[in-house]
Amino acid sequence: DGEALKLKLTTKTGGKAWPTEDYGGQLLSPDGMMRISKSGGWDTPIRYRNVLAAEDFEGGNGFHTDKEDAPYAEVTLAGETEVTGVTIVNCGTNGNNGRQVPLEISLSADAATWTKVWSTNELKDEWKVKLPRPMIAKYVKVGRAPGAKNEVFHLHKVLVYGKKQY
């Protein structure tokens, strides 16, 4: 039935909530959609909505790719946006949180041409990335740098902030 297909936000009672405004913009990712490079056996697509929302949720992984060289999560925003920053929250579970680095963020207006705007080799629980200047984009890709390792990729949150241009 239709009820079974509805995506639900499964929040954690008393859990952390990330800001709905940051980096000089508002949280825009909850109005978007997310897809990943290649789904792995531990992936649960119904949780993708949780990855993009400010509210916390039960469990560590919001998505889980298969083993691959340059896995990613791609957020499609509701329209063209002036992206000002991105907060990425590591899964932090079972000692597997080191799979994410080296980590990078790329932006695109058309999902064909990408501009890398940030990268790091530093393992953290949370990366707060304020862009040096706002950039127009509809697509935000967060992933592991190519050639780093053939491993799965998973994160808890990918929160995109900016100013709507639509």
Side-chain angles (χ1 to χ4, degrees):
D1 75 49
E3 281 298 306
L5 297 176
K6 286 186 180 174
L7 297 180
K8 297 191 178 180
L9 186 65
T10 309
T11 59
K12 186 187 290 185
T13 306
K16 176 179 179 172
W18 281 265
T20 56
E21 292 186 11
D22 209 349
Y23 312 107
Q26 65 187 56
L27 180 62
L28 300 173
S29 48
D31 293 336
M33 297 183 306
M34 190 182 81
R35 71 178 190 89
I36 63 174
S37 51
K38 185 177 179 186
S39 184
W42 294 91
D43 194 39
T44 310
I46 199 161
R47 296 179 76 171
Y48 292 3
R49 168 106 174 85
N50 297 329
V51 175
L52 305 176
E55 298 82 8
D56 205 357
F57 62 94
E58 297 289 345
N61 301 329
F63 66 88
H64 199 293
T65 72
D66 202 358
K67 282 188 175 185
E68 50 188 326
D69 173 45
Y72 61 85
E74 182 182 301
V75 179
T76 303
L77 299 169
E80 274 198 353
T81 300
E82 187 176 85
V83 177
T84 57
V86 180
T87 296
I88 304 166
V89 182
N90 205 344
C91 62
T93 59
N94 302 325
N96 293 323
N97 64 346
R99 294 173 168 167
Q100 285 52 266
V101 291
L103 186 63
E104 57 186 34
I105 299 172
S106 297
L107 302 179
S108 177
D110 59 7
T113 304
W114 293 89
T115 302
K116 184 166 70 170
V117 296
W118 175 85
S119 65
T120 187
N121 288 313
E122 184 180 1
L123 180 60
K124 296 174 92 173
D125 291 333
E126 183 172 313
W127 296 271
K128 293 184 65 65
V129 181
K130 181 176 182 175
L131 299 185
R133 62 177 175 75
M135 292 185 63
I136 300 296
K138 183 175 179 179
Y139 304 91
V140 178
K141 188 183 289 186
V142 176
R144 193 171 53 239
K149 55 184 118 175
N150 187 20
E151 183 58 88
V152 300
F153 182 71
H154 43 77
L155 294 168
H156 188 70
K157 290 279 179 189
V158 177
L159 305 172
V160 180
Y161 294 85
K163 298 174 184 173
K164 293 179 183 178
Q165 302 294 301
Y166 53 95

